[in-house]
Amino acid sequence: MADKEFNGVINLDVRDSVPDWSPYELPTAKEGAPNVLVVLYDDTGMATWSPYGGRVNMPTLQRLADNGLTYTQWHTTALCSPTRSCLLTGRNHTTNRVASIMEGTNGFPGQAGQIPEECATVGHILQDNGYSTFWLGKNHNVPEEDNSAGASRKQWPLQQGFDRFYGFLGGETNNWYPDLAEDNHYIDQPYTPEEGYHLSKDLADRAIKMLRDQNASNPSKPWYMWFCPGANHAPHHAPQEYIDKYKGAFDDGYDAYREWVLARMIERGILPEGTELNPWNPVAEDQANPADHVTPWDELGEDEKRLFARMAEVFAGFSEYTDAQVGRIIDYLEETGQLENTIVFYCADNGASGEGSDAGSVNENKFFNNYPDDLAENLAMLDQLGSPETYNHYPTGWAAAFSTPFQMFKRYSQYSGGTCDPLVIHWPAGIQAKGEVRHQYHHVTDIVPTILELASLEMPEVYRGVEQEPLPGVSMAYSFDSADAPTLKKRQYYCMLGTRGIWQDGWKAAATHAPLTGKGHFDQDRWELYHVDEDRSESKNLAEQYPEKVQELVAAWFEEAEKYHGLPLDDRSALEMITVERPQAEPPRDRYVYYPGSGAVPEGVAVNVRGRSYKIIADVDISDGAEGVIFAHGSRFGGHALFLQDGKLHYVYNFLGIPPEQTFVSEPLTPGPHALGMEFIREGAGPHKESVGTTNLYVDDQVVASGEMRAQIGKFTLCGDGLCVGFDSADAVSRSYRAPFTFTGGKILGVAVDVSDESYLDLETEALAALARD
């Protein structure tokens, strides 16, 4: 927008001049413009929550639904980063270059992970037109290589149109020990779980503080707040009293739950009479992903039933506890007279998550390492589920059940099990209807057009000198007071991890390809056809009856994919996708040198020791009683650490949190300068592609311990618990000490991590000389 012309009078003397402030005044929002609160949960199928008939009690959401609108055909992209990019810009995810999660990007126009300048954000537009803008909780739209202290901030929230940010940048985080950032920098969590910390509570505290500050200084200025808790993404963490609320609630199992919840959904008008359930494992065997298999409840053993029921209890407690924290925000808005003119969108970003495998998991990171879960190991942690001791996730059976009545779950963009999600809209000042249901077909790209219409704004054709991509969505405002209004949306394409589908005028075509299979051969995909207007559960494949309709919709999919950069398709495994080599601000090298006094280095930019031999060499000068962490990377759910304890050097490799820890220990050390380190010599791959080999522990030039070891080829964490020197951040790698276990009783000059093929002894002198020079 060009500056207004100055219309004052300028003379030599200010006393003879006339000012004109109009070119310099900041824009203000229209009189009576609504506040906007978007509450975005993760990984939640439509059959989960109580307003939709589900068994997970959500008092705050129910309160909003009773005084607002419940939408039954609101859709997402089937995955978190892509959906969040749509909520951020209003464009399709591949237009935003976010075809997958930020850890799965590759070098193609729709998949590069950098939201382009052609896609201005809703934050920017509202901020430029008199709104305050706040973002709490999950981000997952910062490229992995930019998730570090020294990286570009271009894609961070404050550069995307937000005045304030408090939360985490990655795809998930430990709710007891989160990886936190505030505005443009990283911070430590403010207090510990023993002192009552939980991420959901902390986020609500911060949200209320931001709103309280706003109300104190600029009470007439409207605001936009995006509140994104870690729930319901794994790890499922909750206070024990909320877990205990659901004791026995899921003992009937996920088969029974599907039958029970479908009847309630029909009774509440969420689904029409006659809606049918889909069978377990509906994808044909030649196309299915074995990791997404569901074992029917009656085929499980008693131990499995007990474990799986408990996992659902923990998940439910996590969800309700977080809803209670959202309730504190709603209560604050009501107490301050702001709730009446605040439009609340309460929703989820994709279907229920199947990343816990058929067996459930006490450590979801196994999924990203292609490593199977073990029933005995999981059972041993039964009473610890939901606590800091676990990184738990329920099995695929619950993912399918919480996505009733649809096929499949998260990641499956061709089926509503992955894309049809809960959405409640509450706005007393602008919506007359109370407690009603809306069935119009909508998509996440429709939220930004809705917000802009209610704020009396438009997405500009040119923003900051850049021609903008048009908004493909439609405003949902027409549906607010008209239950019978026809759907204004005409077409929506879907594309995710090799899956694809398209909805058009009440019909849907779905390719049978499953995600993350590595099967390829997309030209051989079979296409199914569903008349969604008549068959909400997509249970009747009409492809053979209407082949012309299939051809019409497949052609429409390719038209949309061409327009929105939907190709190429990528169905590689999660491990293959997250370990792709991507451009880095720092050139790759064989040796990384780290020094004490810096914060944790995020895994995306830290030295990569996965799937290879490596050496760690620390130059230290110790006195009697020296102890603490020299080097640590990861957490109790996967990582490794070099530390002094009881006068001895220890190296621990914690392989995916599976006990026992692999431990190598020296004899007591003498005071004085030492080169302390280890080397792992990779000799091959285990049955699940994990590295296997030999580890040697060194004190100076002597091997003081040696033995077999296995190491991860996938990441230690999807986000958080980075590489540390002189301390261990957040959750400790080894159970033999408590974080931060800061190094004391001496000095760490530096730590070198080497991934070259040179031997430890050849490197020792050179590495110590380099550390001494630096």
Side-chain angles (χ1 to χ4, degrees):
M1 183 186 296
D3 290 339
K4 295 180 182 178
E5 184 178 349
F6 179 80
N7 290 313
V9 177
I10 300 176
N11 286 311
L12 180 63
D13 193 323
V14 70
R15 286 170 284 271
D16 298 326
S17 304
V18 179
D20 175 19
W21 284 102
S22 58
Y24 318 116
E25 291 177 331
L26 294 174
T28 57
K30 73 163 185 175
E31 184 72 24
N35 304 313
V36 182
L37 172 62
V38 178
V39 178
L40 183 66
Y41 268 65
D42 236 305
D43 293 1
T44 305
M46 200 169 72
T48 306
W49 285 340
S50 51
Y52 285 82
R55 207 171 284 177
V56 178
N57 189 31
M58 302 286 284
T60 302
L61 181 60
Q62 188 68 61
R63 170 186 171 187
L64 298 175
D66 289 344
N67 291 282
L69 302 174
T70 300
Y71 284 77
T72 68
Q73 293 199 79
W74 183 74
H75 294 77
T76 60
T77 71
L79 206 62
C80 45
S81 293
T83 292
R84 289 159 194 272
S85 79
C86 299
L87 271 168
L88 191 57
T89 76
R91 281 80 170 188
N92 278 307
H93 61 306
T94 47
T95 305
N96 295 326
R97 302 179 184 163
V98 188
S100 178
I101 59 173
M102 304 309 286
E103 296 81 2
T105 57
N106 57 42
F108 294 94
Q111 306 173 39
Q114 298 270 354
I115 295 175
E117 293 180 356
E118 290 83 358
C119 298
T121 72
V122 68
H124 273 138
I125 304 309
L126 293 177
Q127 189 182 58
D128 288 355
N129 287 278
Y131 272 72
S132 294
T133 52
F134 310 111
W135 189 337
L136 285 301
K138 178 172 174 174
N139 171 278
H140 213 195
N141 286 117
V142 170
E144 184 183 33
E145 59 269 23
D146 292 343
N147 186 354
S148 68
S152 167
R153 296 294 193 274
K154 185 176 180 180
Q155 300 284 329
W156 283 45
L158 267 60
Q159 284 65 242
Q160 293 293 317
F162 289 84
D163 300 327
R164 296 296 314 277
F165 173 71
Y166 183 88
F168 59 101
L169 297 178
E172 66 184 33
T173 196
N174 189 319
N175 293 279
W176 301 114
Y177 296 101
D179 186 48
L180 291 174
E182 183 171 20
D183 299 332
N184 265 344
H185 62 280
Y186 295 103
I187 62 169
D188 295 327
Q189 71 183 85
Y191 52 102
T192 67
E194 291 79 10
E195 296 167 322
Y197 186 89
H198 188 284
L199 178 62
S200 297
K201 179 178 182 293
D202 186 21
L203 294 177
D205 289 342
R206 295 292 180 134
I208 293 169
K209 178 65 163 58
M210 290 181 189
L211 293 174
R212 190 172 280 135
D213 289 346
Q214 163 92 6
N215 201 37
S217 60
N218 296 84
S220 64
K221 187 179 182 182
W223 48 264
Y224 171 92
M225 176 174 283
W226 196 3
F227 186 86
C228 307
N232 285 320
H233 199 289
H236 300 153
H237 287 152
Q240 192 63 43
E241 62 267 26
Y242 275 82
I243 297 172
D244 290 344
K245 283 186 174 191
Y246 290 91
K247 187 173 179 56
F250 298 97
D251 285 356
D252 53 347
Y254 37 70
D255 293 74
Y257 184 90
R258 287 209 305 167
E259 300 282 352
W260 176 87
V261 77
L262 176 60
R264 285 174 57 87
M265 295 172 84
I266 293 172
E267 178 186 331
R268 287 171 174 254
I270 302 298
L271 297 170
E273 289 282 352
T275 299
E276 297 181 11
L277 284 176
N278 283 284
W280 292 127
N281 307 308
V283 180
E285 187 173 345
D286 64 328
Q287 287 288 345
N289 185 337
D292 293 336
H293 179 266
V294 174
T295 301
W297 191 260
D298 61 7
E299 295 180 17
L300 299 175
E302 290 306 310
D303 282 342
E304 290 173 302
K305 291 179 180 180
R306 187 161 55 95
L307 174 67
F308 294 177
R310 184 62 168 174
M311 287 176 163
E313 294 169 15
V314 173
F315 168 80
F318 184 29
S319 191
E320 184 180 342
Y321 175 71
T322 302
D323 179 79
Q325 306 315 306
V326 177
R328 294 171 52 221
I329 301 172
I330 298 299
D331 288 344
Y332 171 77
L333 295 178
E334 186 169 47
E335 292 163 5
T336 54
Q338 299 182 74
L339 186 59
E340 179 74 14
N341 196 31
T342 297
I343 180 166
V344 181
F345 299 85
Y346 200 133
C347 48
D349 68 359
N350 48 244
S353 171
E355 280 134 43
S357 81
D358 197 15
S361 182
V362 297
N363 182 4
E364 186 227 13
N365 198 36
K366 290 181 180 179
F367 174 85
F368 297 105
N369 276 265
N370 278 5
Y371 199 87
D373 278 278
D374 178 77
L375 177 62
E377 179 192 343
N378 291 353
L379 279 169
M381 301 301 291
L382 180 71
D383 293 333
Q384 302 294 326
L385 292 174
S387 76
E389 295 291 323
T390 56
Y391 211 86
N392 47 297
H393 195 306
Y394 56 47
T396 48
W398 287 118
F402 289 136
S403 297
T404 298
F406 307 118
Q407 299 184 59
M408 303 313 292
F409 32 72
K410 176 183 177 182
R411 294 178 276 112
Y412 286 80
S413 72
Q414 73 271 52
Y415 299 128
S416 284
T419 68
C420 193
D421 290 297
L423 169 67
V424 166
I425 301 180
H426 178 272
W427 184 28
I431 299 177
Q432 301 305 309
K434 308 293 180 189
E436 295 186 9
V437 176
R438 294 289 182 268
H439 299 292
Q440 290 91 349
Y441 190 101
H442 280 290
H443 185 258
V444 62
T445 51
D446 300 331
I447 298 296
V448 167
T450 306
I451 292 170
L452 294 181
E453 178 180 341
L454 300 180
S456 299
L457 297 171
E458 294 182 355
M459 184 64 68
E461 293 183 8
V462 177
Y463 184 72
R464 297 185 178 178
V466 179
E467 187 174 342
Q468 294 293 292
E469 290 281 353
L471 296 180
V474 301
S475 170
M476 302 172 65
Y478 74 92
S479 68
F480 286 175
D481 291 313
S482 181
D484 299 323
T487 297
L488 292 185
K489 200 168 190 72
K490 298 302 180 185
R491 178 189 283 185
Q492 181 59 49
Y493 110 110
Y494 297 90
C495 180
M496 184 59 57
L497 302 174
T499 72
R500 49 190 167 145
I502 187 163
W503 175 93
Q504 181 172 283
D505 295 326
W507 290 82
K508 183 176 183 181
T512 58
H513 210 106
L516 305 176
T517 58
K519 291 179 182 292
H521 302 293
F522 296 103
D523 57 328
Q524 300 174 21
D525 284 356
R526 298 186 295 273
W527 285 82
E528 300 167 339
L529 177 69
Y530 302 103
H531 192 190
V532 180
D533 280 355
E534 304 295 330
D535 174 24
R536 283 286 303 284
S537 64
E538 301 166 5
S539 60
K540 301 176 182 65
N541 179 12
L542 305 176
E544 291 187 4
Q545 293 175 243
Y546 301 101
E548 298 85 1
K549 176 64 74 172
V550 175
Q551 292 175 4
E552 172 193 339
L553 291 177
V554 171
W557 186 90
F558 278 99
E559 181 182 322
E560 297 293 277
E562 176 70 22
K563 185 190 306 183
Y564 299 124
H565 308 299
L567 297 176
L569 300 173
D570 188 350
D571 68 350
R572 290 174 296 172
S573 72
L575 182 63
E576 289 176 292
M577 292 184 71
I578 66 176
T579 54
V580 164
E581 291 291 333
R582 300 180 179 86
Q584 301 284 330
E586 291 292 323
R589 53 195 190 273
D590 287 337
R591 182 174 308 146
Y592 294 70
V593 180
Y594 299 101
Y595 299 95
S598 62
V601 181
E603 186 161 8
V605 296
V607 58
N608 176 9
V609 301
R610 303 185 301 271
R612 60 179 68 177
S613 300
Y614 62 90
K615 283 78 63 176
I616 302 172
I617 308 171
D619 187 9
V620 303
D621 193 340
I622 62 174
S623 57
D624 281 328
E627 68 170 6
V629 168
I630 297 171
F631 169 96
H633 190 186
S635 73
R636 78 178 79 194
F637 305 109
H640 59 148
L642 188 73
F643 57 95
L644 294 179
Q645 190 175 58
D646 300 326
K648 302 174 183 178
L649 177 65
H650 297 244
Y651 176 72
V652 166
Y653 196 105
N654 189 344
F655 181 81
L656 286 169
I658 300 170
E661 296 175 354
Q662 300 170 99
T663 302
F664 304 85
V665 185
S666 75
E667 293 299 316
L669 303 181
T670 58
H674 288 286
L676 305 177
M678 57 73 59
E679 67 175 336
F680 172 65
I681 304 166
R682 186 180 188 273
E683 296 160 351
H688 306 291
K689 299 183 180 179
E690 71 275 18
S691 295
V692 293
T694 300
T695 287
N696 295 318
L697 186 69
Y698 279 89
V699 174
D700 301 318
D701 58 355
Q702 298 298 310
V703 175
V704 295
S706 184
E708 295 179 354
M709 195 181 89
R710 58 178 176 171
Q712 295 177 205
I713 54 169
K715 295 187 176 184
F716 295 129
T717 61
L718 192 59
C719 178
D721 276 347
L723 185 155
C724 307
V725 170
F727 72 105
D728 191 349
S729 64
D731 193 22
V733 168
S734 174
R735 294 175 184 271
S736 60
Y737 63 82
R738 289 176 58 88
F741 199 36
T742 304
F743 185 84
T744 59
K747 184 177 182 180
I748 301 172
L749 301 179
V751 178
V753 184
D754 195 283
V755 291
S756 71
D757 293 329
E758 296 182 67
S759 75
Y760 182 94
L761 292 176
D762 290 339
L763 288 165
E764 182 189 21
T765 302
E766 182 185 344
L768 296 185
L771 294 171
R773 284 197 302 271
D774 290 335

